[in-house]
Amino acid sequence: VSGKMSVFNNAWAAYLGAMMHEIGHNLGLRHSFEDGKEYGGQTGYMGLQPATTEEPLRCYSAYDHYGLGWFDSHTLDLSPVPPNTLVEIAAFVDYDLVLQGQEQIGFVVGKAGDLYFQYNRASRHNKQTGEMADKLVVFRGRSIGTDLLGSVSLGEERSFVPTGGGIVYFQVCEIKHSSGSSAPDSILVSIGTGTISCPSPTFNPTTSEPTLPPTHAPVTEAPSTLTDLPSASPRYGFEPPSSNPTKSPRNTGIVGFPTLPTETWISTIPPVPSQAPSVSPSLIVLDDSSKTPTGPPFSVAAFASEKSDPTLTSNLALYALICVGFFLSLAIMFLFYNRLRLSKSSEKGADLERGGTSSDLAYDSETAWETYDASAWESASSSS
């Protein structure tokens, strides 16, 4: 013990537990006892170790850690032991996180009289501790070794007796595991010689009410009345596109969509234009050509009586007068042409009777042939 040389028997030199046990002796550590049995304590390397080459991963007892001075900057010494105190002990395997100072945890190893305690967190380089994992473990130091007195679980209260007499009570109030974060794991302990108790929780965990599952499509109720101004976004749904386009606007029948007026058949005759422009364009709904009119047949007189307009009437009368004048002009020209033709025919006949020349006959022989008989033609021919 406390020497610089370690001696191994054959294969024991290759076993990790044997190596760390003997190095512990080189550091001045002695065997761990439990229930009076030497090598009985299995939380660290100073008890009995298995014959394996790469395990177990363990460390040493609280009494050994206190004597080695590895955690002197974060060691708690309760001498004398107060009636009741509340302390937070960080896991010694997270000592590097304690030194980073992100969590203000002041202690890793504690001492109350000749009782030594630590949080035996089973993780990192202590993940294969032999017993009492993740509990507060209490030891008592002696000159021949370390006595493992026992452990305290969460919510449990136990008492241990120091060598000098009296009773020290331990109660674990809370265990904090910060998996995946940079905060060290720790344990909150109430220690004292009198009546000890854990503080009441400062808050209760809250659980928010479950939210409703998302809907597949936004649901918007239709307004009770239509507004005059357009809304900022569409207020109604739309039907999926049909295979063929419709020939005229239809009432879609969508819930919440304003109902269009009932469709009626409208004549193909265009409406008579009004003199004054309309305020806004109106919607004319045209039905399919397959539909037949259901009302009475169209009447021009009724339409003219209902749609009469002074300007249209005067225009129609003017057009009628122009047409009548045109036809009268044609008739007069035709009558004048006939009279002129008859007058020339009469003059030609008189010339023949007075003994006209052959050249006069040749001028309009066709007319003479049509006007006079054969005797007149013969006399005309002989005189020439």
Side-chain angles (χ1 to χ4, degrees):
V1 177
S2 300
K4 296 181 180 180
M5 183 179 65
S6 295
V7 179
F8 300 92
N9 182 15
N10 298 330
W12 281 97
Y15 299 153
L16 177 62
M19 177 70 69
M20 295 302 296
H21 181 95
E22 297 305 325
I23 289 177
H25 284 315
N26 294 141
L27 296 175
L29 308 182
R30 298 183 178 273
H31 293 158
S32 178
F33 291 76
E34 184 177 3
D35 297 331
K37 297 179 180 179
E38 190 174 8
Y39 299 100
Q42 299 296 308
T43 61
Y45 283 123
M46 299 315 294
L48 187 63
Q49 302 302 311
T52 54
T53 58
E54 297 182 1
E55 59 184 28
L57 295 179
R58 299 174 181 174
C59 207
Y60 298 106
S61 69
Y63 175 69
D64 295 336
H65 285 157
Y66 184 88
L68 291 171
W70 290 349
F71 309 111
D72 278 353
S73 62
H74 290 78
T75 297
L76 172 66
D77 191 350
L78 296 175
S79 298
V81 181
N84 185 17
T85 185
L86 188 67
V87 295
E88 185 173 4
I89 306 296
F92 62 84
V93 292
D94 291 336
Y95 184 58
D96 56 333
L97 301 179
V98 174
L99 294 178
Q100 293 177 7
Q102 295 185 7
E103 294 289 335
Q104 299 299 322
I105 302 177
F107 308 107
V108 172
V109 176
K111 176 179 180 296
D114 62 348
L115 301 178
Y116 301 84
F117 51 90
Q118 67 184 9
Y119 179 31
N120 191 37
R121 179 73 170 105
S123 67
R124 302 177 75 175
H125 51 276
N126 192 53
K127 65 180 180 180
Q128 293 171 332
T129 180
E131 57 182 329
M132 303 179 186
D134 298 328
K135 297 179 181 181
L136 179 72
V137 182
V138 181
F139 303 86
R140 182 173 52 213
R142 295 190 298 166
S143 59
I144 61 172
T146 303
D147 285 332
L148 175 57
L149 299 181
S151 63
V152 185
S153 303
L154 177 63
E156 183 182 9
E157 179 181 339
R158 291 193 62 179
S159 60
F160 300 94
V161 179
T163 302
I167 299 177
V168 179
Y169 298 92
F170 294 85
Q171 183 179 7
V172 176
C173 302
E174 184 180 356
I175 293 178
K176 300 178 182 179
H177 286 176
S178 304
S179 178
S181 70
S182 59
D185 296 340
S186 62
I187 188 170
L188 187 64
V189 185
S190 178
I191 306 173
T193 57
T195 302
I196 60 174
S197 62
C198 293
S200 301
T202 56
F203 64 92
N204 295 323
T206 58
T207 303
S208 59
E209 296 182 359
T211 57
L212 295 176
T215 57
H216 294 287
V219 179
T220 304
E221 297 187 3
S224 57
T225 58
L226 297 179
T227 59
D228 295 331
L229 298 176
S231 58
S233 59
R235 292 174 295 175
Y236 310 105
F238 294 93
E239 289 181 337
S242 59
S243 57
N244 296 321
T246 57
K247 295 182 179 181
S248 60
R250 300 284 182 171
N251 186 351
T252 61
I254 301 173
V255 177
F257 202 90
T259 305
L260 296 176
T262 305
E263 297 179 1
T264 56
W265 182 81
I266 298 178
S267 172
T268 57
I269 297 179
V272 179
S274 60
Q275 294 180 348
S278 59
V279 177
S280 60
S282 58
L283 175 65
I284 299 178
V285 181
L286 299 177
D287 202 355
D288 293 341
S289 59
S290 60
K291 292 189 177 181
T292 57
T294 57
F298 177 74
S299 173
V300 176
F303 178 80
S305 62
E306 293 179 1
K307 304 294 183 178
S308 61
D309 184 79
T311 304
L312 179 61
T313 304
S314 61
N315 290 338
L316 290 176
L318 180 60
Y319 297 153
L321 290 176
I322 293 174
C323 292
V324 171
F326 176 73
F327 286 111
L328 287 177
S329 299
L330 289 179
I332 293 172
M333 291 174 65
F334 181 74
L335 292 175
F336 178 77
Y337 174 74
N338 285 340
R339 287 181 63 86
L340 182 60
R341 186 178 183 189
L342 291 175
S343 175
K344 287 186 176 183
S345 298
S346 299
E347 292 178 358
K348 292 293 183 178
D351 290 338
L352 290 175
E353 291 177 358
R354 291 194 296 269
T357 63
S358 58
S359 60
D360 293 334
L361 179 61
Y363 177 79
D364 199 1
S365 60
E366 185 182 357
T367 304
W369 174 261
E370 293 177 358
T371 307
Y372 302 104
D373 56 9
S375 59
W377 173 254
E378 290 176 358
S379 60
S381 299
S382 60
S383 60
S384 61

